[in-house]
Amino acid sequence: MSNRLDTPVDPARDHVVGAARAEITLVEYGSYDCPHCRAANARITEVREQLGERVRYVFRHRPIANSDIARRAAELVEQAPTAAAFWSAHVMLMTRSRTLTEDDLAAVAADLRLGERDAAVANIVAAEARARVAADIASSHASGVRYTPTFFINGLRYDGPWDEAAFTDAMLGSLGHRVRTAALGFASWAPSTGVMLLLATLAAIVLTNSAAGAAFASFWATQFGFAFGDARFALPLVGWVNDALLTVFFLVVGLEIKREFTVGHLATRRSAALPVAAAIGGMAVPALIYVSLVPAGAWRIGWGVPMATDTAFAVALIAMLGARVPVELRIFLTAAAIVDDIGAIIVVALFYSSALHPAPLLGAVAAVACLALLNRSGVYRVTPYVLTGIVLWACVHAGGLHATLAGVLLAAFIPTRPPPDYRALVAQADAILSAEASHGGEQFRQGPSAPALRELDAIHDRLESPADRLLRNVAPRSSYLVLPIFAFANAGVVIAAEVLGGHGGLMAAILCGLALGKPAGFLLASWLAVTMGIAEKPAAYTWRHLAGAGALAGIGFTMSLFISGQAFPVAADFAAAKIAVFAASVVAAIAGVAILWGARAAPAERDSAG
């Protein structure tokens, strides 16, 4: 969702108070039937009194949906003949009564003397007012406005509190606010995750091939662990990254898979058929190409390497192409990548685990049973699941399966509660806040009471399921911390001729599997699914778009590096595989962008799929 103001301020059409030269521009999307807009109106007055000519204020209409009186109020003030008359009517509607009433509209209409106008002129003015309000609503949608009031400060959405101090701090641009705004702006930029991964990869390669290369490798080989009496558990730092930290990534993947199959784009057969088919083809064909090119021997186990897709890089490139790529294609590729992740998880579990040990695996089964019991018992606190998940991780690791699978198992049992009764919860919250507000002028009261805060916390917890809350909190850490650290720990490879010697067949198999097998499998499986009537290709994108998405799916990177580390225990083999994965990902990225760059939008009236 956008966090920028889509339509710039235009003094010729916008309602503006303040000088055009003001260093701060505050834009509000509000509604006259919104109690929160009325409350915020007082804050705006205080801020303008404090900052004076340094700020100009712009009001745009965003009437509350399904509120007829809110829409009519907006259209009413737009019939004001002058700017001064508009602001007089605006203040009257915001402050005349506690809630907007028909009497308020009648009073404003009388103040504007609308009844004195000629009927023909009145009709024209009313039509212009409706168009003006509709234009404001359209610009609110384009700017990602979801509720009222929504404020933009110098073109960036403000999501902080509305009290005077916070508002002033944001508009004056304190260091803390600027850092927070920059961080949120970067996080909301679709390619940001891919940029972080790329920077971490380049840093690892540069360090590995510098004078500090030996120290860099020695650092990741440093053993770290715990001792309990005579028992000791230790892993090299790179092992903690790949086996423990990456479990967080797999937890996020598991939660995303769960969401996609419950309320997302894989929730119905019709919506899931095409991305599922494309993903299966995009896994099978690269694996077949790899096996056909690699001679029998130790390398044959690496057939899982070219199967994987790095969602972060693929979606980042699609986002950077902007309007050249339909939004529906981004949704398709994301859904296909989710299915691809499922395939990778299954492959790792079945083919890239060490010798199994029954006793710890029985402990893992007991931990899973405990998770199931927590879920069935309606336990919605996240802490018991996380603690049980840690025990599960230890048992899975000791049992010989790859420990990151514990993250997927944990995600499967994190509960999603039934949808909340929003009306009842909002009424309850409103009652609490109203009761607390009635004590605002009392002595020895500086804010909401502790019981009220606990009740509001309970309402907040009910509004969001544990699975959604965990995904919201953990997913950014996975994208901006876990994956870059993984790339930094694993992407380092010595660029030297001796690394490539004797590994031509291995590298060619990986390169061909990712760069050629992925788009071929994507396109072939999609065509077969559509031709056989199993799936339907949306008219929003063409077969060329699908081919471009398939090429971008050849960016293996994160998961390909991960599987390479499991498949090739010999350092030289792993180094050659990493170089091949890097090369294939670059080729796939260039090919995908080239295919999509000149792709035209699908004709609206027909679908080339037939």
Side-chain angles (χ1 to χ4, degrees), residues 432 449-456:
I432 295 169
S449 64
L453 291 175
R454 285 194 295 269
E455 291 177 38
L456 290 172

Side-chain angles (χ1 to χ4, degrees), residues 236-492:
L237 284 179
V238 69
W240 281 109
V241 171
N242 294 347
D243 289 356
L245 194 60
L246 205 62
T247 302
V248 177
F249 167 70
F250 276 83
L251 171 63
V252 171
V253 169
L255 290 170
E256 289 178 339
I257 290 171
K258 187 175 183 178
R259 182 178 62 185
E260 287 296 319
F261 275 99
T262 52
V263 297
H265 298 101
L266 302 175
T268 64
R269 190 197 69 82
R270 187 177 184 84
S271 60
L274 190 62
V276 168
I280 292 174
M283 290 185 285
V285 173
L288 291 174
I289 289 177
Y290 179 94
V291 171
S292 66
L293 294 179
V294 168
W299 294 346
R300 185 64 67 94
I301 190 63
W303 56 267
V305 174
M307 289 177 59
T309 295
D310 192 294
T311 312
F313 276 125
V315 174
L317 287 172
I318 276 192
M320 292 181 71
L321 288 169
R324 288 183 173 85
V325 179
V327 174
E328 291 82 358
L329 188 68
R330 189 189 306 186
I331 293 172
F332 162 82
L333 183 57
T334 303
I338 289 291
V339 179
D340 195 289
D341 286 338
I342 297 172
I345 291 167
I346 295 173
V347 166
V348 169
L350 296 180
F351 301 99
Y352 296 105
S353 296
S354 57
L356 301 182
H357 305 287
L361 289 180
L362 286 176
V365 171
V368 170
C370 183
L371 289 172
L373 181 62
L374 290 171
N375 185 288
R376 291 292 299 273
S377 300
V379 176
Y380 294 120
R381 293 289 180 184
V382 173
T383 303
Y385 292 92
V386 173
L387 294 177
T388 308
I390 293 173
V391 174
L392 175 62
W393 180 89
C395 292
V396 170
H397 184 276
L401 294 173
H402 201 278
T404 52
L405 298 177
V408 181
L409 292 172
L410 176 60
F413 292 98
I414 298 292
T416 52
R417 287 187 288 203
D421 184 345
Y422 287 106
R423 187 182 301 276
L425 292 176
V426 168
Q428 183 183 358
D430 186 59
I432 295 169
L433 293 172
S434 297
E436 290 297 305
S438 67
H439 299 292
E442 293 181 2
Q443 294 294 329
F444 313 113
R445 289 288 294 268
Q446 296 181 343
S449 64
L453 291 175
R454 285 194 295 269
E455 291 177 38
L456 290 172
D457 279 341
I459 293 172
H460 177 265
D461 287 343
R462 182 63 187 90
L463 286 170
E464 191 175 30
S465 74
D468 290 338
R469 189 184 316 123
L470 195 62
L471 187 59
R472 175 172 58 84
N473 290 318
V474 177
R477 291 165 175 79
S478 172
S479 298
Y480 298 108
L481 183 65
V482 173
L483 290 184
I485 291 177
F486 170 80
F488 191 56
N490 289 273

Side-chain angles (χ1 to χ4, degrees), residues 521-540:
F522 243 62
L523 206 55
L524 178 61
S526 298
W527 178 80
L528 286 174
V530 171
T531 302
M532 297 171 62
I534 298 173
E536 181 179 356
K537 184 183 76 61

